Amino acid sequence: MSPRRRSTRIILISLLAVAVLVLGGAIAVLLPILTHQSAGGSGQRVPDTAVERVEATGADDRVRSLEAVGESGKPVDLGAIEPGQRITVLGSGFDSGIGIYLAICGIPADPEEKPGPCLGGIPQGATEGTVDKSALSSAWITNDWAWRAFATHRYGDEGSFEVTLTVPDPTVDGFDCRTSRCAISTRADHTATKDRVQDMLLPVWYAKSA
């Protein structure tokens, strides 16, 4: 075999190996999304009044909790939040195998529907993996190897997390949290969009001046 043919063959084999690796990576990312089965609902009954903490036992027998505190751990009045206010959200008991989005969202009329619309949008820099965590109005929490470089946070022990949100303006695309029921919400991310087991809702009301 001539040197030129040998060189061409090596190049073709190398390109084929790269293609196989890329395809394998794509399958590894997409397969869990396409095959994910819903674990059921979160089991939460959403309170009608402002509370600082909610807890529920999901269909997967996990006891999830969602709590909000003000700066320095001080109590926060979720019945009168304002844009620009910083609220620290504490979660526990979540399934770390299912990523979640955290934001202020509309409370769905049907618990089988995901919370939404949501305020705050996609965290700036999330698509580049360069999120500024000092001014988040929404967050993405995941331990998934394929996505964690782009997420804002990871789960801690036993499905816990701590995220400080900056309260966004109360409106988005015609939806208004001053006239519709809203909550600090968790919901499964794009890898398990139809799974409602991670949905937890901590109701909020915007101050009249907002």
Side-chain angles (χ1 to χ4, degrees), residues 14-184:
S14 298
L15 290 174
L16 179 61
V18 170
V20 169
L21 287 173
V22 170
L23 180 61
I27 291 174
V29 169
L30 293 175
L31 190 60
I33 298 175
L34 298 174
T35 60
H36 181 83
Q37 298 293 319
S38 174
S42 69
Q44 184 192 6
R45 291 186 178 181
V46 182
D48 294 323
T49 58
V51 297
E52 295 177 3
R53 185 178 186 275
V54 291
E55 181 179 291
T57 301
D60 57 357
D61 292 327
R62 287 180 173 271
V63 179
R64 293 173 175 82
S65 71
L66 200 62
E67 180 180 2
V69 297
E71 294 187 87
S72 302
K74 295 180 179 179
V76 60
D77 181 6
L78 296 183
I81 64 173
E82 297 182 344
Q85 180 180 355
R86 289 169 63 81
I87 297 175
T88 297
V89 183
L90 308 172
S92 67
F94 285 76
D95 183 349
S96 60
I98 304 174
I100 57 172
Y101 296 132
L102 172 69
I104 295 177
C105 306
I107 298 175
D110 186 340
E112 294 188 3
E113 296 178 4
K114 67 182 179 182
C118 296
L119 310 178
I122 300 172
Q124 186 175 359
T127 56
E128 296 84 22
T130 57
V131 172
D132 178 5
K133 295 183 181 181
S134 66
L136 292 173
S137 55
S138 62
W140 178 14
I141 305 160
T142 185
N143 287 357
D144 191 314
W145 65 271
W147 306 105
R148 62 191 181 195
F150 303 98
T152 60
H153 295 76
R154 298 184 188 181
Y155 288 106
D157 295 337
E158 300 180 359
S160 64
F161 61 83
E162 179 176 336
V163 176
T164 297
L165 294 180
T166 298
V167 176
D169 290 334
T171 61
V172 61
D173 297 332
F175 179 80
D176 194 333
C177 278
R178 294 170 298 187
T179 56
S180 298
R181 293 191 69 204
C182 292
I184 296 173

